[in-house]
Amino acid sequence: NIDEDIISRVYKETRQISDSINTTLKKLKAVDKSREEFVSNVSHELKTPITSIRVLADSLIGMEDAPVELYREFLSDISEEIERENKIIDDLLALVRMDKTAGANLNVAQVKINGLLELILKRLRPIAGKRNIELTFESMREVTADVDEMKLSLALSNLVENAIKYNIEGGWVRVTLDADHKFFYVKVADSGIGISEEFQERVFDRFYRVDKARSRETGGTGLGLSITKKIVLMHQGAIKLQSKEGEGTTFTVRIPLTYIS
Ligand code: ADP
């Protein structure tokens, strides 16, 4: 009887251990798969501009007596592709650096959020102007918070840039700032093309774009929102979006006024 008892206990424990090994393996595989996917995405994204450059250069080389205008046109295309490659590398480096340093390396200081937002809007106003998009900022109060100024500025710039990029000619972008006793809230609302419900969760994924062609045309890398989300999370904050296709999108960022390390 005692023997049976022991055997049954050992059996039970062995099963538990085997179950937990299986769960761990599954988790490891998932991590591995997402890493593999990331690496394959990175290589694909980095290769695309290079392939275009190669095709453009090869066709120039293969042409006899090509007119100067054609040279100019192709070289300017090549230059655009180089710029694109640079942007992808910059975005990737920003992401990878943040992966490595996690939350510990935030350069936190007391920052006036109103001023930070005004500066972002001032910088982006010319781009909005080109498409006749009205860009406004409304603040309910003066907000000072413990943030990493450079990183937060990058995170919020990405949102405003997107609101301009994925907008209609003559549309609007409204940035608002509010706070309560614990958090400040930045809303970036636009009158743009919107994001249909099925894609809303995925827009924060690295390299994910709803419309590849449009994103490419506007110089997108598909990394902007993943960078923004990472920075917001590093600040112990949260980000969400509301959107309706064809009507517009609102991103809301919530960040604690005080940073607890
Ligand atoms: P990208 O470099 O392509 O802009 P992001 O990571 O910033 O990459 O955004 C991912 C995708 O989410 C975009 O390609 C676009 O399809 C969608 N998106 C982001 N912001 C908006 C917005 N304000 N309105 C509509 N679509 C948006």
Side-chain angles (χ1 to χ4, degrees), residues 159 162-163 165-166 190 193-195 203 205 208-211 215 219-226 249 251:
L159 294 181
N162 280 348
K165 277 194 325 203
Y166 302 103
D190 68 56
I193 59 174
I195 305 166
V203 293
D205 291 352
Y208 187 79
R209 295 106 145 187
V210 177
D211 178 349
S215 160
T221 63
L223 292 171
L225 283 180
S226 49
T249 307
F251 281 90

Side-chain angles (χ1 to χ4, degrees), residues 21-32:
I21 288 177
N22 277 335
T23 329
T24 314
L25 277 178
K26 261 193 207 145
K27 278 189 196 154
L28 274 175
K29 268 191 195 144
V31 171
D32 210 43

Side-chain angles (χ1 to χ4, degrees), residues 82-97:
I82 292 174
E83 200 182 308
R84 191 177 157 67
E85 185 84 3
N86 265 335
K87 175 111 187 26
I88 300 172
I89 293 172
D90 281 349
D91 281 0
L92 270 172
L93 283 178
L95 257 180
V96 172
R97 267 192 214 120

Side-chain angles (χ1 to χ4, degrees), residues 112-256:
K112 289 186 172 144
I113 308 297
N114 302 63
L116 182 143
L117 283 167
E118 269 156 21
L119 206 68
I120 291 175
L121 265 74
K122 193 175 155 197
R123 266 196 24 244
L124 293 175
R125 196 152 271 129
I127 304 175
K130 273 191 197 152
R131 304 189 58 219
N132 286 318
I133 290 168
E134 186 197 20
L135 186 54
T136 57
F137 173 50
E138 197 185 335
S139 154
M140 316 303 167
R141 62 195 80 231
E142 293 292 316
V143 177
T144 305
D146 296 336
V147 298
D148 182 319
E149 188 166 10
M150 291 252 284
K151 288 203 176 72
L152 187 69
S153 181
L154 173 64
L156 298 175
S157 292
N158 282 343
L159 294 181
V160 183
E161 263 175 64
N162 280 348
I164 298 168
K165 277 194 325 203
Y166 302 103
N167 214 322
I168 48 168
E169 174 92 26
W172 50 259
V173 175
R174 289 181 197 136
V175 180
T176 51
L177 171 64
D178 200 359
D180 53 29
H181 62 290
K182 242 179 144 175
F183 301 99
F184 70 91
Y185 306 83
V186 179
K187 268 193 210 299
V188 180
D190 68 56
S191 61
I193 59 174
I195 305 166
S196 86
E197 189 133 9
E198 57 182 312
F199 305 126
Q200 287 181 11
E201 259 184 40
R202 296 174 66 187
V203 293
F204 294 104
D205 291 352
R206 293 165 176 192
F207 295 117
Y208 187 79
R209 295 106 145 187
V210 177
D211 178 349
K212 278 219 173 233
R214 180 166 184 140
S215 160
R216 204 183 143 76
E217 227 171 78
T218 51
T221 63
L223 292 171
L225 283 180
S226 49
I227 292 175
T228 295
K229 185 169 178 179
K230 173 151 260 167
I231 294 173
V232 170
L233 293 181
M234 283 167 93
H235 282 87
Q236 297 152 358
I239 181 165
K240 60 173 192 187
L241 78 91
Q242 273 172 305
S243 185
K244 216 164 173 195
E245 221 180 342
E247 285 183 19
T249 307
T250 302
F251 281 90
T252 308
V253 168
R254 186 196 75 187
I255 288 179

Side-chain angles (χ1 to χ4, degrees), residues 91-108:
D91 281 0
L92 270 172
L93 283 178
L95 257 180
V96 172
R97 267 192 214 120
M98 282 187 278
D99 262 350
K100 259 213 255 163
T101 54
N105 262 36
L106 275 187
N107 199 356
V108 172

